[in-house]
Amino acid sequence: MKIIKVGGGCLKDPKTIARIVALMADRGRGHVFVVSALNGVTDLLIESMPAALMDEAAIPGLIDRLKHRHHQVARCIVPDKPALKAYYRDLSTSLNRLERLFYGLNFTREITPRLKDVISSFGERLAAQLLTAALCRQGLSATYRLPHKIGLITDGKFGDATADLTKTGRNFQHHLAPLTGPGKILLLPGFFGVSPSGDITTFGRGGSDYSAAVAAVALQAEVLEIWKDTQGFMSADPCLVAEAELIPVLSYEEAAELAYFGARILHPRTVEPARKKRIRITIRNTLAPEAPGSEIRSRSPRSRQFIKSVAHDCDIGILKVHASGVGARPGILGQVSSAIAARGINIKSVVTSQTCISLLLARKDLVAAREALMGIAPRPFRKIDAQEDVALIGIVGDGIQHRAGIAARCFSAVADCRVNVEMISFGPSRAALYFLVKKKDLESGVNAIHSTFFSTPRCRRKV
Ligand code: ASP
Ligand code: MG
């Protein structure tokens, strides 16, 4: 049995969704689908919470928008009258529930993490309900189940939950085994599970991939297929590098490293559960369903050039915390990182020297992180600088940290293009090497490295 994840990017307008439903009907029998919300619906739910908090008059309009969006798609994929009517009734029941939650939010005057997670989980619920109606209308034996009703158990951390694989496995075997089998199609909304105390908890934005990996482990699937509207993992971002190639096979470790970059191919934690049970992951392009895509498995064949991808991330800023003798002062790193963590800010990476701690953060977090550090008393540092005009380049490939000469080739490639390397980080990963350049140098830097490893050396000279 396969677990197939259908991403929100494939669920846009009625016509694209009709095509996805046809693909599901054609290839989905005997398998389980984990679905995302229709494109933009989760954003709409999250963005509407402050409006509903301020003024309850905003709520009916929002519910109408959701209703209209789902009706519009349903008219195209559930074209027969009685089936459409039955679907409208089910949708109304779900939307009434959601509406009550929005009024609750307005009444309590607070967007609690608990309420935020329940409300944002509705996009996936509505999508599963809609797609199931469309498949049933085609005479297929399709049904959907809600994660909190079938025991997809999490650790209860709102907005960033982790699944309990053992308990979830037991519950899924019990509740879902009878619903799967030859000819049957089972749908599950992605993105959330339920805490041991019964709270809906989401896995973070883009978390349906992770849900699908959890379902793959829980149901002991042979393979996890991720349906997207892109080819798969690429040797670089095709928007920056015209010669970027598809990566046909990569290892769990390489995929995990690449998932952290802006390419948004996979939710960063998807690989975790799949790797534990050695479940293969394949990325499939719904626009070219016969194309091979990328495959992720335990071992990837060594490529000639050892590196698989030159990735980049522009959403990055550095906070430099200057203090003398950093390396000899016990506790300073802990103090700095706890103050930042207490604000709920994620530190992407840390590099320290004797006089400075450099923290890599998402750019939007720079100001709040600085404030958090200024609040430490007594101050364990001399001054803080923030730098925003930087971008991160990551070279990813199994074993590259132990390959003599790879780093040297990268740095001489960028030096040849007169690009200055601002900061280097050899992280603990065997599969990646990261460094920072000025944002204006990103395109030349990435192209220089890519052409060094993937084709004849060529350098986009700066003018
Ligand atoms: N719908 C959720 C989001 O937009 C989860 C997902 O798409 O995977 O973040
Ligand atoms: Mg999404």
Side-chain angles (χ1 to χ4, degrees):
M1 182 220 307
K2 286 183 197 174
I3 303 295
I4 304 171
K5 189 256 166 172
V6 183
C10 311
L11 301 172
K12 286 189 183 124
D13 49 291
K15 252 175 80 190
T16 350
I17 300 177
R19 211 171 36 73
I20 296 292
V21 170
L23 265 183
M24 291 172 82
D26 188 33
R27 296 168 184 236
R29 270 170 251 203
H31 304 304
V32 176
F33 285 94
V34 172
V35 298
S36 284
L38 302 197
N39 199 266
V41 166
T42 311
D43 286 338
L44 177 66
L45 290 167
I46 293 175
E47 285 158 14
S48 302
M49 287 185 230
L53 180 82
M54 299 258 300
D55 184 3
E56 66 171 16
I59 299 171
L62 156 73
I63 299 293
D64 262 0
R65 271 176 80 182
L66 286 167
K67 183 167 153 187
H68 177 73
R69 176 85 195 273
H70 289 81
H71 275 201
Q72 194 191 17
V73 178
R75 280 196 297 274
C76 177
I77 61 176
V78 192
D80 109 7
K81 272 258 169 70
L84 191 61
K85 263 192 151 167
Y87 166 70
Y88 285 171
R89 257 197 319 271
D90 291 347
L91 175 68
S92 284
T93 311
S94 306
L95 289 177
N96 284 342
R97 208 164 281 154
L98 177 63
E99 191 171 22
R100 284 207 296 276
L101 288 166
F102 271 112
Y103 280 113
L105 183 150
N106 177 273
F107 187 70
T108 55
R109 300 250 155 259
E110 199 184 358
I111 307 176
T112 58
R114 174 180 285 113
L115 208 47
K116 189 174 175 190
D117 270 18
V118 192
I119 290 180
S120 48
S121 73
F122 268 75
E124 273 65 16
R125 304 186 197 202
L126 299 178
Q129 191 177 45
L130 174 62
L131 296 172
T132 306
L135 292 167
C136 288
R137 145 83 193 25
Q138 302 199 6
L140 294 159
S141 152
T143 168
Y144 76 95
R145 286 291 181 272
L146 297 171
H148 50 297
K149 300 277 172 70
I150 48 166
L152 198 171
I153 305 293
T154 70
D155 62 359
K157 192 166 173 209
F158 294 111
D160 186 28
T162 300
D164 181 325
L165 294 176
T166 316
K167 285 190 189 146
T168 303
R170 215 177 302 132
N171 293 340
F172 272 31
Q173 291 297 338
H174 176 71
H175 291 290
L176 300 185
L179 303 174
T180 56
K184 296 181 184 166
I185 300 182
L186 173 65
L187 286 90
L188 303 173
F191 190 38
F192 67 97
V194 63
S195 73
S197 52
D199 285 315
I200 299 278
T201 33
T202 63
F203 298 124
R205 294 306 307 269
S208 300
D209 290 340
Y210 176 71
S211 298
V214 170
V217 171
L219 291 169
Q220 298 167 1
E222 286 137 40
V223 57
L224 165 59
E225 232 173 67
I226 311 263
W227 287 8
K228 296 194 67 87
D229 52 1
T230 49
Q231 287 192 64
F233 282 96
M234 303 291 289
S235 63
D237 180 346
C239 298
L240 275 195
V241 180
E243 302 82 5
E245 301 161 9
L246 176 77
I247 312 174
V249 180
L250 57 170
S251 70
Y252 291 124
E253 187 140 8
E254 290 168 335
E257 291 293 342
L258 282 174
Y260 280 99
F261 288 94
R264 297 188 175 271
I265 301 286
L266 268 191
H267 182 269
R269 281 162 47 211
T270 311
V271 176
E272 254 168 55
R275 177 184 359 214
K276 266 193 199 135
K277 293 286 172 201
R278 296 179 174 262
I279 296 172
R280 257 182 325 120
I281 307 175
T282 58
I283 315 282
R284 285 304 170 95
N285 184 359
T286 54
L287 303 170
E290 301 305 331
S294 297
E295 179 176 322
I296 305 162
R297 56 184 197 216
S298 310
R299 280 181 181 281
S300 78
R302 279 282 154 85
S303 52
R304 211 170 6 99
Q305 57 274 57
F306 287 101
I307 82 162
K308 288 282 169 55
S309 190
V310 188
H312 71 273
D313 185 357
C314 291
D315 175 27
I316 205 125
I318 319 175
L319 216 52
K320 289 190 172 165
V321 184
H322 300 274
S324 44
V326 170
R329 282 167 59 185
I332 180 166
L333 207 52
Q335 254 184 318
V336 165
S337 50
S338 326
I340 291 179
R343 288 271 186 118
I345 296 171
N346 178 38
I347 301 176
K348 296 192 181 204
S349 181
V350 188
V351 180
T352 61
S353 72
Q354 281 307 323
T355 55
C356 182
I357 302 171
S358 298
L359 302 158
L360 245 65
L361 306 168
R363 191 136 31 92
K364 66 166 178 32
D365 292 334
L366 280 178
V367 173
R370 184 190 199 128
E371 269 172 28
L373 295 181
M374 289 309 223
I376 307 178
R379 256 184 220 162
F381 49 83
R382 208 162 28 81
K383 64 166 187 165
I384 301 180
D385 294 326
Q387 209 181 336
E388 290 196 29
D389 58 344
V390 285
L392 181 79
I393 299 184
I395 317 294
V396 176
D398 263 343
I400 59 167
Q401 296 234 343
H402 304 299
R403 262 296 111 196
I406 298 269
R409 277 174 72 194
C410 283
F411 296 132
S412 60
V414 289
D416 282 350
C417 284
R418 300 205 210 103
V419 168
N420 191 33
V421 171
E422 302 277 308
M423 192 167 112
I424 302 172
S425 155
F426 284 89
S429 161
R430 289 182 299 117
L433 184 164
Y434 297 103
F435 59 93
L436 293 175
V437 296
K438 281 260 167 19
K439 202 173 268 159
K440 67 174 175 39
D441 291 335
L442 178 69
E443 188 173 346
S444 338
V446 170
N447 271 284
I449 299 171
H450 193 271
S451 55
T452 298
F453 290 99
F454 287 89
S455 53
T456 43
R458 191 179 48 84
C459 167
R460 289 196 180 174
R461 287 224 170 258
K462 281 190 288 177
V463 278

